[in-house]
Short mmCIF file of all heavy atoms in Angstrom, two decimals:
data_model
loop_
_atom_site.label_atom_id
_atom_site.label_comp_id
_atom_site.label_asym_id
_atom_site.label_seq_id
_atom_site.Cartn_x
_atom_site.Cartn_y
_atom_site.Cartn_z
N ALA L 95 5.64 2.44 -8.86
CA ALA L 95 5.26 1.17 -9.48
C ALA L 95 4.25 0.41 -8.61
O ALA L 95 3.31 -0.20 -9.12
CB ALA L 95 6.49 0.30 -9.73
N LEU L 96 4.42 0.48 -7.31
CA LEU L 96 3.50 -0.18 -6.38
C LEU L 96 2.11 0.46 -6.47
O LEU L 96 1.10 -0.24 -6.57
CB LEU L 96 4.07 -0.09 -4.97
CG LEU L 96 3.46 -0.90 -3.85
CD1 LEU L 96 3.28 -2.36 -4.21
CD2 LEU L 96 4.33 -0.76 -2.60
N ALA L 97 2.05 1.79 -6.47
CA ALA L 97 0.77 2.48 -6.60
C ALA L 97 0.12 2.17 -7.95
O ALA L 97 -1.10 1.96 -8.04
CB ALA L 97 0.96 3.99 -6.42
N ALA L 98 0.93 2.10 -9.01
CA ALA L 98 0.40 1.76 -10.34
C ALA L 98 -0.12 0.32 -10.37
O ALA L 98 -1.15 0.04 -10.99
CB ALA L 98 1.48 1.95 -11.40
N ALA L 99 0.56 -0.58 -9.68
CA ALA L 99 0.11 -1.97 -9.62
C ALA L 99 -1.25 -2.08 -8.96
O ALA L 99 -2.12 -2.82 -9.42
CB ALA L 99 1.13 -2.83 -8.88
N VAL L 100 -1.43 -1.34 -7.88
CA VAL L 100 -2.74 -1.34 -7.21
C VAL L 100 -3.79 -0.79 -8.16
O VAL L 100 -4.86 -1.39 -8.32
CB VAL L 100 -2.68 -0.53 -5.90
CG1 VAL L 100 -4.07 -0.33 -5.33
CG2 VAL L 100 -1.77 -1.21 -4.88
N ARG L 101 -3.51 0.34 -8.78
CA ARG L 101 -4.45 0.94 -9.73
C ARG L 101 -4.83 -0.07 -10.81
O ARG L 101 -6.01 -0.29 -11.09
CB ARG L 101 -3.81 2.17 -10.35
CG ARG L 101 -4.67 2.85 -11.42
CD ARG L 101 -3.85 3.71 -12.36
NE ARG L 101 -2.87 2.90 -13.07
CZ ARG L 101 -1.74 3.39 -13.57
NH1 ARG L 101 -1.43 4.66 -13.41
NH2 ARG L 101 -0.90 2.59 -14.21
N ASP L 102 -3.84 -0.70 -11.42
CA ASP L 102 -4.08 -1.64 -12.52
C ASP L 102 -4.81 -2.89 -12.05
O ASP L 102 -5.69 -3.41 -12.75
CB ASP L 102 -2.77 -2.02 -13.19
CG ASP L 102 -2.08 -0.83 -13.85
OD1 ASP L 102 -2.72 0.24 -13.98
OD2 ASP L 102 -0.90 -0.97 -14.21
N HIS L 103 -4.47 -3.38 -10.88
CA HIS L 103 -5.11 -4.58 -10.35
C HIS L 103 -6.58 -4.32 -10.02
O HIS L 103 -7.43 -5.20 -10.24
CB HIS L 103 -4.37 -5.05 -9.09
CG HIS L 103 -4.85 -6.36 -8.58
ND1 HIS L 103 -4.29 -7.55 -8.98
CD2 HIS L 103 -5.83 -6.68 -7.71
CE1 HIS L 103 -4.91 -8.55 -8.38
NE2 HIS L 103 -5.86 -8.05 -7.60
N MET L 104 -6.89 -3.12 -9.53
CA MET L 104 -8.26 -2.81 -9.12
C MET L 104 -9.14 -2.37 -10.29
O MET L 104 -10.36 -2.41 -10.19
CB MET L 104 -8.25 -1.72 -8.03
CG MET L 104 -7.49 -2.11 -6.76
SD MET L 104 -7.89 -3.75 -6.07
CE MET L 104 -9.59 -3.50 -5.58
N ALA L 105 -8.56 -1.95 -11.41
CA ALA L 105 -9.32 -1.42 -12.54
C ALA L 105 -10.44 -2.36 -13.02
O ALA L 105 -11.56 -1.90 -13.25
CB ALA L 105 -8.38 -1.06 -13.69
N PRO L 106 -10.20 -3.67 -13.16
CA PRO L 106 -11.27 -4.54 -13.65
C PRO L 106 -12.48 -4.64 -12.71
O PRO L 106 -13.55 -5.07 -13.13
CB PRO L 106 -10.59 -5.91 -13.77
CG PRO L 106 -9.13 -5.63 -13.87
CD PRO L 106 -8.93 -4.39 -13.06
N TYR L 107 -12.33 -4.25 -11.46
CA TYR L 107 -13.43 -4.32 -10.52
C TYR L 107 -14.50 -3.26 -10.82
O TYR L 107 -15.62 -3.36 -10.35
CB TYR L 107 -12.94 -4.12 -9.09
CG TYR L 107 -12.13 -5.27 -8.52
CD1 TYR L 107 -10.81 -5.47 -8.90
CD2 TYR L 107 -12.69 -6.13 -7.59
CE1 TYR L 107 -10.06 -6.51 -8.37
CE2 TYR L 107 -11.95 -7.18 -7.06
CZ TYR L 107 -10.64 -7.36 -7.46
OH TYR L 107 -9.90 -8.39 -6.95
N GLY L 108 -14.14 -2.20 -11.53
CA GLY L 108 -15.09 -1.14 -11.82
C GLY L 108 -15.51 -0.37 -10.58
O GLY L 108 -16.66 0.06 -10.47
N LEU L 109 -14.59 -0.18 -9.65
CA LEU L 109 -14.90 0.50 -8.40
C LEU L 109 -15.25 1.97 -8.64
O LEU L 109 -14.70 2.61 -9.54
CB LEU L 109 -13.69 0.45 -7.45
CG LEU L 109 -13.17 -0.95 -7.12
CD1 LEU L 109 -11.91 -0.85 -6.28
CD2 LEU L 109 -14.23 -1.76 -6.39
N ARG L 110 -16.13 2.48 -7.83
CA ARG L 110 -16.49 3.89 -7.93
C ARG L 110 -15.33 4.78 -7.50
O ARG L 110 -15.10 5.83 -8.07
CB ARG L 110 -17.72 4.16 -7.06
CG ARG L 110 -18.21 5.57 -7.18
CD ARG L 110 -19.52 5.75 -6.48
NE ARG L 110 -19.92 7.15 -6.56
CZ ARG L 110 -20.96 7.65 -5.97
NH1 ARG L 110 -21.75 6.86 -5.27
NH2 ARG L 110 -21.24 8.91 -6.08
N ARG L 111 -14.59 4.35 -6.47
CA ARG L 111 -13.43 5.12 -6.03
C ARG L 111 -12.46 4.26 -5.27
O ARG L 111 -12.83 3.27 -4.64
CB ARG L 111 -13.84 6.34 -5.20
CG ARG L 111 -14.43 6.05 -3.85
CD ARG L 111 -14.82 7.30 -3.07
NE ARG L 111 -15.56 8.28 -3.81
CZ ARG L 111 -16.88 8.37 -3.88
NH1 ARG L 111 -17.62 7.51 -3.22
NH2 ARG L 111 -17.47 9.30 -4.58
N VAL L 112 -11.19 4.66 -5.37
CA VAL L 112 -10.11 4.11 -4.56
C VAL L 112 -9.53 5.30 -3.82
O VAL L 112 -9.10 6.27 -4.43
CB VAL L 112 -9.02 3.45 -5.42
CG1 VAL L 112 -7.88 2.94 -4.54
CG2 VAL L 112 -9.60 2.31 -6.25
N LEU L 113 -9.56 5.24 -2.49
CA LEU L 113 -9.07 6.34 -1.67
C LEU L 113 -7.76 5.97 -1.01
O LEU L 113 -7.43 4.80 -0.84
CB LEU L 113 -10.08 6.69 -0.58
CG LEU L 113 -11.38 7.34 -1.02
CD1 LEU L 113 -12.28 7.56 0.19
CD2 LEU L 113 -11.12 8.66 -1.71
N LEU L 114 -7.02 6.99 -0.61
CA LEU L 114 -5.84 6.81 0.22
C LEU L 114 -5.64 8.10 0.99
O LEU L 114 -6.24 9.13 0.68
CB LEU L 114 -4.60 6.49 -0.63
CG LEU L 114 -4.12 7.53 -1.62
CD1 LEU L 114 -3.20 8.56 -0.98
CD2 LEU L 114 -3.38 6.84 -2.74
N ALA L 115 -4.79 8.03 1.99
CA ALA L 115 -4.41 9.23 2.75
C ALA L 115 -2.89 9.24 2.83
O ALA L 115 -2.26 8.21 3.07
CB ALA L 115 -5.02 9.19 4.15
N THR L 116 -2.30 10.41 2.63
CA THR L 116 -0.86 10.55 2.74
C THR L 116 -0.52 11.93 3.27
O THR L 116 -1.20 12.91 2.94
CB THR L 116 -0.15 10.30 1.39
OG1 THR L 116 1.26 10.37 1.59
CG2 THR L 116 -0.57 11.30 0.32
N ALA L 117 0.50 11.99 4.07
CA ALA L 117 0.98 13.28 4.56
C ALA L 117 2.16 13.78 3.74
O ALA L 117 2.47 14.97 3.79
CB ALA L 117 1.39 13.16 6.04
N ASP L 118 2.82 12.88 2.98
CA ASP L 118 4.08 13.30 2.37
C ASP L 118 4.38 12.72 0.99
O ASP L 118 5.45 12.96 0.45
CB ASP L 118 5.23 12.94 3.30
CG ASP L 118 5.32 11.45 3.58
OD1 ASP L 118 4.47 10.68 3.10
OD2 ASP L 118 6.26 11.05 4.29
#
Side-chain angles (χ1 to χ4, degrees):
L96 191 50
V100 170
R101 177 201 62 205
D102 296 348
H103 188 90
M104 300 312 294
Y107 289 76
L109 304 175
R110 184 172 177 185
R111 68 180 47 92
V112 178
L113 290 178
L114 63 85
T116 184
D118 60 357

